[in-house]
Amino acid sequence: MKPIIIVNFKTYLEATGERALKLAEVCARVSEESGLSIVAAPQSADLHRVAQLTRAYAQHMDPITPGSHTGWMLPHALKQAGATGTLINHSERRLTLADIDACVHMARELELTSVVCTNNIATTRAAAALEPDYVAVEPPELIGTGIAVSRADPEVISGSVDAVRRVNPKVRVLCGAGISNADDLVAAIELGAHGVLLASGIVKAPDQEEALRALVSKV
Ligand code: G3P
């Protein structure tokens, strides 16, 4: 199975507004050239426009139903904006366990791919029991450091893969934090991950296209 690469645009200015569209085009081009699934995860304000250019996941959704919820992120709105999936419980946007469960269910109902983020093996195990499409393990202390989880903390990936296999082998495992080059990606895949979730290594690179092309060059 080909790996999936999710580029989280976070709230970096280099991936906001017009620059989000440029990065989305980069994702589309490199995905096309490499044959890999490269998914953009832009801010909600950019989601609709980004989704016209490439495959896009939302960064967050709230487990709410249509009605009076000012300022929240309605799953149906994400779907209608063109998202094909969503991150849930990113370490920069934590939810309660009950909310994560509700989000996974709502994503399934709306046919949105669900990616539940976790921070260690124990939370990965708990998240797998909720049956999302993916669990993405990201040790928060490595996020944004450029120190790749797949090299600095390989056990958290192999341990997560093992834990998820025992709980529900249909759930796929991603990893993230500090991933920025081809060797980091290859190491993650060799440890059993189905792909990676990454941000600063691509978004903050002087040449985003070159960085993304280099990332996938050894897969
Ligand atoms: O969602 C991706 C993430 O939190 C990792 O960030 O900058 O370490 O690739 P980064």
Side-chain angles (χ1 to χ4, degrees):
M1 192 184 260
K2 287 190 177 167
I4 177 170
I5 292 150
I6 303 175
V7 183
N8 184 355
F9 290 16
K10 299 203 175 183
T11 51
Y12 288 119
L13 274 181
E14 293 84 345
T16 296
E18 291 304 314
R19 295 169 85 179
L21 304 185
K22 287 216 164 63
L23 184 51
E25 284 169 351
V26 165
C27 292
R29 269 198 299 278
V30 179
S31 178
E32 171 83 31
E33 284 165 20
S34 63
L36 297 178
S37 182
I38 300 177
V39 181
Q43 292 166 63
S44 55
D46 295 320
L47 183 58
H48 181 66
R49 290 194 299 166
V50 164
Q52 315 294 308
L53 302 170
T54 195
R55 204 162 138 216
Y57 288 179
Q59 292 182 6
H60 168 75
M61 70 180 245
D62 288 306
I64 53 160
T65 48
S68 27
H69 302 284
T70 306
W72 292 66
M73 201 62 71
L74 179 69
H76 309 68
L78 301 176
K79 175 86 180 179
Q80 288 187 39
T84 58
T86 182
L87 305 184
I88 296 168
N89 192 49
H90 191 278
S91 72
E92 292 150 10
R93 194 65 173 86
R94 286 278 185 240
L95 294 170
T96 64
L97 188 58
D99 283 347
I100 299 168
D101 185 38
C103 283
V104 170
H105 277 92
M106 294 186 84
R108 194 176 302 130
E109 270 167 31
L110 291 168
E111 297 182 342
L112 291 168
T113 300
S114 51
V115 182
V116 175
C117 301
T118 59
N119 59 325
N120 58 31
I121 297 174
T123 55
T124 298
R125 187 180 296 116
L130 306 176
E131 294 194 69
D133 296 297
Y134 293 97
V135 176
V137 62
E138 299 195 317
E141 65 280 8
L142 295 176
I143 291 178
T145 61
I147 302 169
V149 57
S150 49
R151 304 217 259 173
D153 193 0
E155 298 77 21
V156 79
I157 304 174
S158 49
S160 293
V161 169
D162 195 45
V164 169
R165 201 170 285 146
R166 286 165 203 265
V167 174
N168 185 340
K170 282 192 286 185
V171 177
R172 285 156 288 175
V173 176
L174 307 179
C175 67
I179 304 279
S180 52
N181 63 41
D183 292 332
D184 303 338
L185 174 59
V186 168
I189 289 164
E190 285 176 354
L191 289 161
H194 278 86
V196 295
L197 179 55
L198 82 169
S200 52
I202 302 300
V203 176
K204 303 284 284 179
D207 183 333
Q208 296 171 333
E209 185 152 3
E210 192 181 284
L212 192 54
R213 228 175 244 133
L215 178 84
V216 301
S217 62
K218 294 189 182 170
V219 183

